[in-house]
């Protein structure tokens, strides 16, 4: 029986790795992958607490997180395709016309 | 003992694969490393008695989302990506901020360990019947309204994706 803290530390580390990726990478596709990694770290926290507390609610929440992740991936990838078609680039620094 | 070995092996694999997602120069390789990490997550879910979630993780994430990613990576030219700057100039500040957040989270979890009492969890709800049955009952009774809202969200996302990716409407 692994204590729940170990799962939480693992999830925190993975979340931070994802955050570093979002901040450091300039390729918009890789940034998206890092966001998926962060979402999965949060999912791991939910499932670990669900096991720890003996309640099913955490697993239900993971379902909704997965739903939102799927919707986000579909819309985000559509935006990336549109961006590539109009700008011929995948670098987020070059798509800054909406920046203040 | 066998629990610890499995957990730490899986944790090591997931962390290594996640680091490779960041360090890989090619987006295709990043996607493949992320698929490995997601499979590790699925194995952890099985260890946590969430068998249905492990299956859904593989079906939705690996089979759906990541395949979509790979399609888009193949759609846009890979050569365009290679010529562009891969990292931003403020990467030092980014690493400092993210490591600070990680240290803070880990400090809080370690110091707050006394509130997570390590006891045999109340298995009544989780092992009363099969995991799929328990999840299904909760999803269609307590969480019926969020479930329906999620279906509307998926519809909206589908329409939005079609409208955005289409050349001429």
């Amino acid at each position: 029986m692994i204590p729940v803290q170990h799962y939480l530390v693992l999830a925190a580390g993975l979340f931070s790795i994802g955050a570093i990726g979002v901040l450091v990478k300039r390729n918009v596709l890789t940034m998206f992958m890092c966001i998926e990694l962060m979402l999965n770290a949060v999912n791991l926290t939910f499932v670990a607490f669900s096991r720890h507390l003996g309640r099913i609610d955490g697993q239900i929440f993971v379902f909704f997180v997965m739903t939102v992740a799927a919707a986000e991936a579909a819309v985000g990838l559509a935006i990336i395709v549109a961006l590539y078609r109009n700008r011929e680039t995948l670098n987020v620094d070059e798509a800054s016309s909406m920046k203040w | 003992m066998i629990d610890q070995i499995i957990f730490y092996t899986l944790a090591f694999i997931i962390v290594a694969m996640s680091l490779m997602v960041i360090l890989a120069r090619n987006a295709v390789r990043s996607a493949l490393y992320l698929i490995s990490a997601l499979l590790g997550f699925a194995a952890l879910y099985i260890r946590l008695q969430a068998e249905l979630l492990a299956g859904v993780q593989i079906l939705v994430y690996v089979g759906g989302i990541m395949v979509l990613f790979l399609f888009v990576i193949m759609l846009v030219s890979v050569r365009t990506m290679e010529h562009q700057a891969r990292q931003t100039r403020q990467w030092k500040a980014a690493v400092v901020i993210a490591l600070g957040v990680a240290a803070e989270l880990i400090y809080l979890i370690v110091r707050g360990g006394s509130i997570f009492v390590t006891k045999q969890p109340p298995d009544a709800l989780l092992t009363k019947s099969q995991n799929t049955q328990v999840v299904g009952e909760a999803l269609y009774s307590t969480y019926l309204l969020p479930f329906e809202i999620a279906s509307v969200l998926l519809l909206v996302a589908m329409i939005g994706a079609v409208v955005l990716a289409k050349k001429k409407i």
Side-chain angles (χ1 to χ4, degrees):
Chain A
M1 183 66 199
I2 310 286
V4 68
Q5 295 101 295
H6 293 206
Y7 285 102
L8 296 183
V9 170
L10 174 63
L14 290 171
F15 188 90
S16 306
I17 291 174
I20 292 176
V22 172
L23 290 172
V24 166
K25 301 297 265 192
R26 288 301 93 188
N27 185 341
V28 64
L29 275 165
T30 321
M31 288 172 74
F32 247 107
M33 287 184 222
C34 292
I35 291 174
E36 299 292 335
L37 187 63
M38 290 163 78
L39 286 170
N40 269 281
V42 176
N43 282 353
L44 181 61
T45 313
F46 272 128
V47 179
F49 268 117
S50 166
R51 171 89 176 102
H52 180 68
L53 300 172
R55 295 180 60 87
I56 204 73
D57 305 64
Q59 299 186 19
I60 305 286
F61 263 89
V62 172
F63 269 97
F64 292 126
V65 172
M66 280 183 184
T67 311
V68 174
E72 172 236 343
V75 175
L77 290 173
I79 291 175
I80 290 173
V81 169
L83 174 74
Y84 183 75
R85 187 177 293 145
N86 290 324
R87 294 283 183 92
E88 291 281 316
T89 181
L90 285 176
N91 193 333
V92 287
D93 285 338
E94 293 174 24
S96 59
S97 50
M98 282 177 78
K99 235 186 208 171
W100 176 58
Chain B
M1 186 60 198
I2 196 78
D3 272 356
Q4 268 87 356
I5 293 174
I6 293 175
F7 173 76
Y8 288 115
T9 312
L10 282 175
F12 176 76
I13 290 173
I14 295 175
V15 170
M17 291 299 138
S18 310
L19 282 174
M20 288 309 291
V21 172
I22 298 184
L23 297 177
R25 288 167 170 266
N26 193 330
V28 181
R29 291 192 184 170
S30 284
L32 292 178
Y33 285 125
L34 185 56
I35 288 174
S36 313
L38 294 178
L39 290 175
F41 275 106
L44 274 186
Y45 291 165
I46 291 177
R47 299 301 300 167
L48 285 165
Q49 296 187 345
E51 292 90 1
L52 176 65
L53 272 185
V56 171
Q57 169 93 0
I58 293 176
L59 283 178
V60 171
Y61 263 110
V62 180
I65 296 179
M66 290 317 292
V67 170
L68 201 62
F69 266 96
L70 284 173
F71 264 117
V72 173
I73 292 172
M74 300 300 176
L75 201 64
V76 305
S77 100
V78 181
R79 235 177 314 127
T80 324
M81 295 185 216
E82 305 239 316
H83 288 303
Q84 289 164 352
R86 288 183 199 90
Q87 284 167 354
T88 173
R89 288 182 299 279
Q90 75 252 16
W91 65 273
K92 277 178 190 161
V95 168
V96 167
I97 291 168
L99 285 181
V101 172
E104 194 175 350
L105 283 170
I106 291 172
Y107 175 79
L108 285 175
I109 289 166
V110 170
R111 286 298 301 269
S114 56
I115 61 169
F116 302 124
V117 184
T118 310
K119 61 179 186 300
Q120 210 56 28
D123 276 338
L125 193 58
L126 287 181
T127 55
K128 188 177 61 183
S129 47
Q130 295 295 311
N131 177 250
T132 310
Q133 190 181 345
V134 178
V135 170
E137 279 171 5
L139 204 56
Y140 282 105
S141 57
T142 318
Y143 293 95
L144 185 60
L145 183 63
F147 183 72
E148 297 296 333
I149 293 173
S151 68
V152 176
L153 174 73
L154 281 178
L155 178 68
V156 170
M158 191 174 71
I159 296 171
V162 170
V163 169
L164 277 172
K166 210 164 153 55
K167 259 181 198 154
K168 278 192 178 164
I169 304 166

